[in-house]
Amino acid sequence: MVETPLPTPTPLLSGVTIIDLSRVLAGPFCTMTLANMGARVIKVEIPGTGDDSRAFGPFADGKSLYFSAINCNKESIALNLKKDEDRAIFEKLLEKADVLVENYRPGTMEKLGYGWDTLHARYPHLIYGAASGFGDSGPYSKRAAYDMVVQGMGGIISLTGYPGGRPVRVGISIGDITAGLYLAIGLNGALFQRAATGVGSKIDVAMLDCQVAIMEDAITAYDKTGEVPSPHGTRHPSIAPFQAYKASDGYVVIAAGNDHLFNLTSQALEEPGLVTDPRFATNELRHENVDALEDEMEKALSKNTVAYWLDALTAKGVPAGPINDIPHMIADPQVQARHMVVSVQDKVAGEIKVAGNPVKVVGLPDAKTFSPPPQLDEHRAAILAQFVGSTEGAAE
Amino acid sequence: MVETPLPTPTPLLSGVTIIDLSRVLAGPFCTMTLANMGARVIKVEIPGTGDDSRAFGPFADGKSLYFSAINCNKESIALNLKKDEDRAIFEKLLEKADVLVENYRPGTMEKLGYGWDTLHARYPHLIYGAASGFGDSGPYSKRAAYDMVVQGMGGIISLTGYPGGRPVRVGISIGDITAGLYLAIGLNGALFQRAATGVGSKIDVAMLDCQVAIMEDAITAYDKTGEVPSPHGTRHPSIAPFQAYKASDGYVVIAAGNDHLFNLTSQALEEPGLVTDPRFATNELRHENVDALEDEMEKALSKNTVAYWLDALTAKGVPAGPINDIPHMIADPQVQARHMVVSVQDKVAGEIKVAGNPVKVVGLPDAKTFSPPPQLDEHRAAILAQFVGSTEGAAE
């Protein structure tokens, strides 16, 4: 077989232009993901205030770090979609763009005269992505959504925390973020389809739907067994030891899924009595006596630090890891090696750090830096020159 | 403007064929997502046992409900990639397929003779998606990963739970699932790019990278402020009342982000004293006195049920919702209206329920049912007839 030279990889979404009306999180998280993959993202923001998250703390020299975390690699133009001259500019953008993204409540775009039926007829090539709390249809469609409300309704809180304890929210806005990811999947699928048909689609993603979609086996298992899935803290529902255990200065995750690994755990913890204890002779018994096992293991682990035990466990080949806080996660050598924390030079806040791009294309080097989060209306002149063919209105 | 008839929407990934070597969760979750969008997914499984998750409980008539939840809409063929005749069949599949997905530890495919360099040279059109714990590069690359280990390392556990309490795992395998979603984003992007170039890419997704990518503003905020982000139970870090509160029979999420909504909350809870209490006069004061506010609100809420208070709060326009367990989530009218729980007729387990497809294409009706999770090797004869042009080997 003769190997023929193949082209050098380029960013997957090179050449794609996205017009982004979205604010705060679900939509902006989607367009950040696509921008990091090479798409050009033009934020169309409300004059004066812009994306609501520009007002979210904490701040550095007046710049929102929340906004900055989600909006690198994007451009900004301020347009008032209720003013004729700005609508004309917006329509020029749509003519040449590939994708429009918004996360208004369903019905808002129709009121602006930019509902899907109108846009699809006028710009058949245009792909339209909408993220909302509850989607285009159903009895809650027009309700506003907050991440916390959707986490509560979607079931994830019922599986998280300790049995009988107060409810626990997943500590990030998983409702918004999951919707952003599914919208990105849909938009890339629509770009693929359009390459064959020439015609765009509208993707309608609801935060609540996405919570249902990530329930793993909970729906299927409950439906057949009648057992309502419940939270287990950090424990595995059927394997022990498989949870976070307290050492002298923090917690260690130990995932010893079989007798052999339990034997190695016993050696690493310098507690030969663990593996000979009849209460812990099999996984079934360890699971039955999981509280006693936790007590015995934490008695041993209390004698030294997380770092000490991680070395000992890893040396024996027991799957184990720390519970990293954010500074330790940032400093982790694997996170660093994968360029998952990127330094960005912001004109206002100076050097900031943001999460890198997890969609790695083999042969395509990771970006060493990103374009900074845009100032409101920063790219007006260049955008107008390109899309409208004049710099009229560039003075705003 | 004359409206021209536009084609009726079809599934975004119609015509795409995916060969799927992946097992358990990250890879199978990715290919489930793509199958639900119209791709043909052919699972290539180990003869005899198949996907490891076929052995995961709970079971219904011997069929794994865990496997069933993640593997609808897929076909199965059993192949031993260490046997020449099965390798020949596998290579016939790759010749005609669009995408190969696997979630082995990095290096495994190279040992089988199917590393990216080999495959890319031989099948330039083929797109390759890999999901692993730590990715193709970096010091942990060759380590096995478990969801719990990755959740601990990636920072999400440090943000979830109550301050000072024992760590809490996100109650689903968010490490695997997020990797599956990012891999789907990358594969659809690679399909889009290939439509222009004719050449495939390899997408390398690591579970740990994906955890870093979903940290919202935590990296950026910590880096600039030096404050280590910590867990808040269900509370919002700066808005009150914005959390889950205990009523007589469960918890109610109340998200009253401003003074007006707090006034309406006070009315809905039949506690006019709340809004006039000087401790709760502004959001800043409510946030400062958030424990006292919780006490007062739960005193009021203890007088009636979740259902009663949700009616009262919703009638006043206060954003609020329940903490649904899985049966209540399944029964929710919005979940039902969006077809997010789908009934599937399984040949072994009978009727099962699985999560629906959250990537809705406007104008394309939701599937009323899915193809059942395949029996091991169920589609051998048809696959061989199509890809190999004979039914040789169909007897296994």
Side-chain angles (χ1 to χ4, degrees), chain B residues 32-307:
Chain B
M32 172 180 79
T33 302
L34 302 178
N36 292 351
M37 292 170 70
R40 178 182 184 185
V41 174
I42 298 176
K43 281 180 84 78
V44 173
E45 301 186 73
I46 294 170
T49 51
D51 184 333
D52 313 52
S53 71
R54 289 182 180 275
F56 291 5
F59 298 94
D61 297 317
K63 182 126 184 185
S64 164
L65 296 170
Y66 191 97
F67 175 83
S68 298
I70 315 293
N71 289 286
C72 288
N73 289 333
K74 301 180 187 177
E75 303 171 29
S76 171
I77 182 169
L79 295 176
N80 180 345
L81 296 187
K82 291 170 182 162
K83 277 173 57 183
D84 284 346
E85 61 266 42
D86 283 9
R87 290 175 68 89
I89 295 170
F90 181 66
E91 290 164 23
K92 287 284 187 190
L93 297 182
L94 295 185
E95 263 175 35
K96 293 190 188 161
D98 301 288
V99 179
L100 172 67
V101 172
E102 53 94 358
N103 62 347
Y104 289 112
R105 242 188 275 192
T108 304
M109 290 295 282
E110 282 74 10
K111 279 186 207 151
L112 286 167
Y114 294 130
W116 171 238
D117 290 343
T118 308
L119 292 180
H120 191 43
R122 187 157 170 193
Y123 313 105
H125 72 284
L126 188 70
I127 293 163
Y128 180 138
S132 62
F134 301 104
D136 267 0
S137 58
Y140 310 164
S141 175
K142 297 289 166 69
R143 285 197 201 169
Y146 292 85
D147 178 75
M148 180 61 200
V149 173
V150 170
Q151 285 199 28
M153 293 178 73
I156 200 165
I157 290 182
S158 80
L159 305 175
T160 302
Y162 284 89
R166 286 189 74 93
V168 170
R169 171 183 179 269
V170 177
I172 55 164
S173 298
I174 194 71
D176 285 278
I177 287 170
T178 310
L181 294 175
Y182 275 108
L183 186 57
I185 290 170
L187 292 176
N188 284 355
L191 282 164
F192 164 69
Q193 185 180 59
R194 195 191 66 171
T197 65
V199 177
S201 304
K202 178 177 176 184
I203 312 299
D204 161 30
V205 165
M207 287 166 65
L208 180 60
D209 291 357
C210 296
Q211 291 299 291
V212 177
I214 62 170
M215 283 299 104
E216 208 169 340
D217 65 329
I219 293 168
T220 313
Y222 160 72
D223 174 62
K224 271 297 187 195
T225 67
E227 282 178 41
V228 179
S230 60
H232 297 280
T234 66
R235 283 183 187 162
H236 192 281
S238 60
I239 301 173
F242 206 107
Q243 66 175 80
Y245 294 97
K246 198 167 171 43
S248 68
D249 63 342
Y251 286 86
V252 183
V253 175
I254 299 177
N258 58 44
D259 293 341
H260 174 63
L261 287 171
F262 183 59
N263 185 14
L264 296 175
T265 304
S266 173
Q267 291 173 28
L269 300 192
E270 302 155 21
E271 282 294 340
L274 272 180
V275 75
T276 57
D277 191 317
R279 293 174 300 171
F280 312 140
T282 64
N283 179 64
E284 202 179 340
L285 283 164
R286 290 191 293 275
H287 179 56
E288 208 175 297
N289 299 302
V290 66
D291 289 325
L293 179 63
E294 182 179 286
D295 288 347
E296 296 295 337
M297 287 184 58
E298 295 197 344
K299 211 182 291 172
L301 287 159
S302 70
K303 294 173 189 161
N304 222 318
T305 62
V306 170

Side-chain angles (χ1 to χ4, degrees), chain A residues 253-274:
Chain A
V253 174
I254 299 177
N258 57 46
D259 293 341
H260 174 63
L261 287 171
F262 183 59
N263 185 15
L264 296 176
T265 304
S266 173
Q267 291 173 29
L269 300 191
E270 301 153 21
E271 282 294 339
L274 271 179

Side-chain angles (χ1 to χ4, degrees), chain A residues 66 134 140 162 167 216 334, chain B residues 66 134 140 162 167 216 298 334:
Chain A
Y66 191 97
F134 301 105
Y140 310 163
Y162 284 90
E216 209 170 339
Q334 182 70 16
Chain B
Y66 191 97
F134 301 104
Y140 310 164
Y162 284 89
E216 208 169 340
E298 295 197 344
Q334 183 71 16

Side-chain angles (χ1 to χ4, degrees), chain A residues 202-289:
Chain A
K202 179 177 176 183
I203 312 299
D204 162 31
V205 164
M207 288 166 63
L208 180 61
D209 291 356
C210 294
Q211 290 298 292
V212 177
I214 62 170
M215 283 300 104
E216 209 170 339
D217 65 328
I219 293 168
T220 313
Y222 160 71
D223 174 61
K224 271 295 187 196
T225 66
E227 281 177 43
V228 178
S230 60
H232 298 279
T234 64
R235 284 184 186 161
H236 192 281
S238 59
I239 302 174
F242 207 106
Q243 64 175 81
Y245 294 96
K246 198 168 172 41
S248 68
D249 63 343
Y251 287 85
V252 183
V253 174
I254 299 177
N258 57 46
D259 293 341
H260 174 63
L261 287 171
F262 183 59
N263 185 15
L264 296 176
T265 304
S266 173
Q267 291 173 29
L269 300 191
E270 301 153 21
E271 282 294 339
L274 271 179
V275 74
T276 57
D277 191 319
R279 292 173 300 171
F280 311 141
T282 64
N283 180 65
E284 202 178 341
L285 283 165
R286 289 191 293 275
H287 180 58
E288 208 176 297
N289 298 305

